[in-house]
Amino acid sequence: MNLEQIFQTPNPIIGVVHLLPLPTSPRWGGSLQAVIDRAEQEVTALGSGGVDGVIVENFFDAPFTKNQVDPAVVSTMTIIVQRLMNLVPIPIGINILRNDAHSALAIATCVGAKFIRVNVLTGIMATDQGLIEGQAHTLLRYRRALGSDVKILADVLVKHGQPLESPNITIAVQETIERGLADGVILSGWGTGTPTNPQDLVLASAAAKGKPVFIGSGANWENISTLMQYADGVIVSSSLKRRGQIDQPIDPIRVSQFVEAVRSSVSAKQEQKPIV
């Protein structure tokens, strides 16, 4: 996966648009326009703040289905993602929770989105939705059948879940890339907003052998200089919200502060590299 080709930088910052509850979800408010308006405000705030990409996900649809979501969710997300792509010039990706990678890939392929996030691509994770099995064997075949070039970013030992076997970051990363054929991997803390363990990033970067490694949770302008020493990019949401509260909308000032912190940390990292 060539990050510069997709994001115009080797160290992309990917902001997340958490969609308000969608049709058929328990907290659906009955107004699609309200969902669209909030999503457009957030993607505009992220774009103007300087992020390099955006992931759109149905975050507020909890409790989530384990795999396939309702067709109304797919239809709604298709409409929204296409509208957002017309608002900002940066790459957009899709994550359909909890693990409907096939629908995400279908939407991305049809609207021209660049990537998807898959919570469980390989292995089996025990989650609050039950046991979720990896979908690599069907997802990669589906991508080939579609003739799609949408990239797959896969979580390794995804947050809000526990592996059935003893966790081993090195083996999990290797299998996600070599056997699951992920284009990049994501390392997170144990839950939403929980910082990624730097040591996990070190092990993941070594095991990835050149494939991109992303920070998946808990990044803020205070810890990003440490985390970015061991990662290629970052996916960020909670710390960009007003007052840092997950249910609040994106704060443009926080976006700018975070982007500046990442750029400074990347510059410092590059200056530390020995001259060969």
Side-chain angles (χ1 to χ4, degrees):
M1 182 176 182
N2 189 325
L3 296 180
E4 282 197 86
Q5 186 177 36
I6 295 174
F7 299 102
Q8 310 307 310
T9 174
N11 302 111
I13 304 165
I14 303 176
V16 183
V17 172
H18 287 154
L19 298 178
L20 293 178
L22 302 179
T24 73
S25 73
R27 293 178 288 182
W28 161 239
S31 172
L32 177 57
Q33 191 59 51
V35 179
I36 292 172
D37 289 346
R38 168 77 169 255
E40 289 181 341
Q41 291 168 4
E42 296 208 336
V43 81
T44 300
L46 290 168
S48 62
V51 302
D52 306 299
V54 170
I55 290 179
V56 181
E57 64 179 36
N58 57 325
F59 181 83
F60 290 112
D61 278 357
F64 305 113
T65 59
K66 184 165 64 171
N67 292 314
Q68 188 173 9
V69 298
D70 190 270
V73 174
V74 178
S75 300
T76 303
M77 290 191 70
T78 304
I79 293 170
I80 294 172
V81 170
Q82 194 159 36
R83 291 179 69 113
L84 300 187
M85 290 177 64
N86 290 328
L87 281 179
V88 293
I90 54 180
I92 287 183
I94 301 168
N95 183 22
I96 300 186
L97 300 167
R98 178 66 154 127
N99 204 49
D100 193 351
H102 288 70
S103 291
L105 181 63
I107 295 172
T109 302
C110 289
V111 303
K114 297 299 184 182
F115 61 98
I116 63 172
R117 180 176 184 173
V118 182
N119 284 180
V120 184
L121 183 67
T122 59
I124 304 176
M125 297 292 290
T127 73
D128 53 316
Q129 293 81 33
L131 296 179
I132 299 181
E133 298 182 21
Q135 300 186 11
H137 62 296
T138 56
L139 183 64
L140 272 293
R141 286 168 173 77
Y142 188 45
R143 183 169 69 171
R144 182 181 177 89
L146 289 174
S148 174
D149 191 37
V150 171
K151 303 304 181 185
I152 298 171
L153 300 181
D155 284 272
V156 173
L157 305 178
V158 68
K159 58 190 175 183
H160 300 293
Q162 293 291 330
L164 294 191
E165 299 177 345
S166 298
N168 183 302
I169 293 293
T170 298
I171 293 175
V173 169
Q174 289 173 340
E175 293 197 342
T176 301
I177 291 173
E178 296 173 9
R179 296 169 67 84
L181 303 185
D183 298 298
V185 295
I186 303 167
L187 274 290
S188 299
W190 64 267
T192 301
T194 306
T196 307
N197 186 330
Q199 185 58 40
D200 288 346
L201 290 172
V202 172
L203 295 173
S205 294
K209 296 180 180 178
K211 293 284 186 179
V213 174
F214 285 85
I215 300 158
S217 69
N220 56 51
W221 49 82
E222 294 176 341
N223 65 19
I224 192 61
S225 61
T226 298
L227 296 177
M228 281 300 290
Q229 293 181 50
Y230 315 110
D232 300 291
V234 56
I235 299 170
V236 59
S237 177
S238 302
S239 64
L240 304 185
K241 302 292 186 80
R242 291 178 187 168
R243 300 186 296 279
Q245 297 176 1
I246 197 67
D247 61 332
Q248 294 294 308
I250 297 289
D251 183 340
I253 296 176
R254 283 176 168 258
V255 177
S256 298
Q257 290 175 331
F258 184 81
V259 169
E260 183 179 352
V262 174
R263 302 288 184 241
S264 297
S265 65
V266 169
S267 296
K269 178 180 176 180
Q270 292 173 341
E271 290 174 0
Q272 293 172 2
K273 287 184 178 180
I275 299 176
V276 179

